[in-house]
């Protein structure tokens, strides 16, 4: 499984590099900016004990700037060892953005990086729209979630977290 994630990470890095190097020295053109909310659920709920966990994310972008894709949604599920202390793993992944409008769904191959600062877990997904609407283009999605409440981690676990997300697609 690790080798597969490593290979996908290299592919994402090469594609992102190619997309960026193909861009002239002038500023990139922003194709789409979306603002919305992501809901992340944990099964079983997170406690202070790290254990195999199915993490499901679903996102809704009620506001997007491109007239052909005025709204968007996505969903993704993956399994990781997780706890209230170790929420997310960094590494390669993919998701599909489905647009409200005439633009075809976009396949997003990305590398996720999560950081905890104060009471916030920020995950930055950096990669490339590899197929569908907006392809080929670079993309960055940022998701911010409040760190789990210690009392909740001790008593029944944290079953879900919700926070803001933004997506920017540019060439």
């Amino acid at each position: 499984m690790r080798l597969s994630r490593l290979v996908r990470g290299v592919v994402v890095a090469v594609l992102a590099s190619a997309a960026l190097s193909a861009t002239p020295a002038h500023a990139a053109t922003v194709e789409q900016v979306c603002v919305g909310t992501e809901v992340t659920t944990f099964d079983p709920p997170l406690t202070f004990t790290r254990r195999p966990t199915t993490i499901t994310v679903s996102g809704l972008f009620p506001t997007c700037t491109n007239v052909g894709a005025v709204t968007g949604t996505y969903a993704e599920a993956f399994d990781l060892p997780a706890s209230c202390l170790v929420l997310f793993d960094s590494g390669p992944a993919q998701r599909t953005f489905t647009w409200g409008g005439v633009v075809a769904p976009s396949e997003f191959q990305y590398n996720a990086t999560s950081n905890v600062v104060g009471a916030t877990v920020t995950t930055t997904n950096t990669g490339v729209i590899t197929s569908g609407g907006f392809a080929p283009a670079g993309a960055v999605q940022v998701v911010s979630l409040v760190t789990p409440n210690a009392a909740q981690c001790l008593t029944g676990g944290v079953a879900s977290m919700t926070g803001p997300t933004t997506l920017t697609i540019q060439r």
Side-chain angles (χ1 to χ4, degrees):
M1 179 90 176
R2 273 286 180 212
L3 180 59
S4 174
R5 291 180 65 156
L6 176 63
V7 170
R8 283 190 303 193
V10 169
V11 169
V12 168
V14 167
L15 289 172
S17 175
L20 294 175
S21 66
T23 304
H26 59 82
T29 301
V30 175
E31 298 285 326
Q32 175 74 299
V33 176
C34 297
V35 178
T37 303
E38 179 172 291
V39 176
T40 304
T41 60
F42 306 98
D43 184 21
L46 298 178
T47 64
F48 284 118
T49 302
R50 189 172 182 178
R51 59 188 172 186
T53 305
T54 299
I55 301 171
T56 304
V57 297
S58 59
L60 172 64
F61 295 117
T63 307
C64 296
T65 59
N66 187 286
V67 296
V70 295
T71 63
T73 60
Y74 61 93
E76 177 183 4
F78 48 93
D79 295 314
L80 291 174
S83 73
C84 286
L85 300 174
V86 181
L87 291 176
F88 301 107
D89 186 25
S90 297
Q94 67 182 36
R95 65 177 45 149
T96 301
F97 296 113
T98 302
W99 306 110
V102 297
V103 174
S106 301
E107 184 71 26
F108 180 38
Q109 303 243 345
Y110 63 93
N111 190 51
T113 305
S114 295
N115 295 300
V116 177
V117 177
T120 304
V121 178
T122 301
T123 301
T124 303
N125 301 328
T126 305
V128 178
I129 303 295
T130 58
S131 64
F134 304 110
V140 176
Q141 181 182 14
V142 178
V143 180
S144 297
L145 301 170
V146 174
T147 55
N149 177 305
Q152 204 176 356
C153 293
L154 285 170
T155 58
V158 176
S160 67
M161 297 167 39
T162 302
T165 182
T166 59
L167 171 68
T168 303
I169 300 173
Q170 59 187 19
R171 293 180 205 268

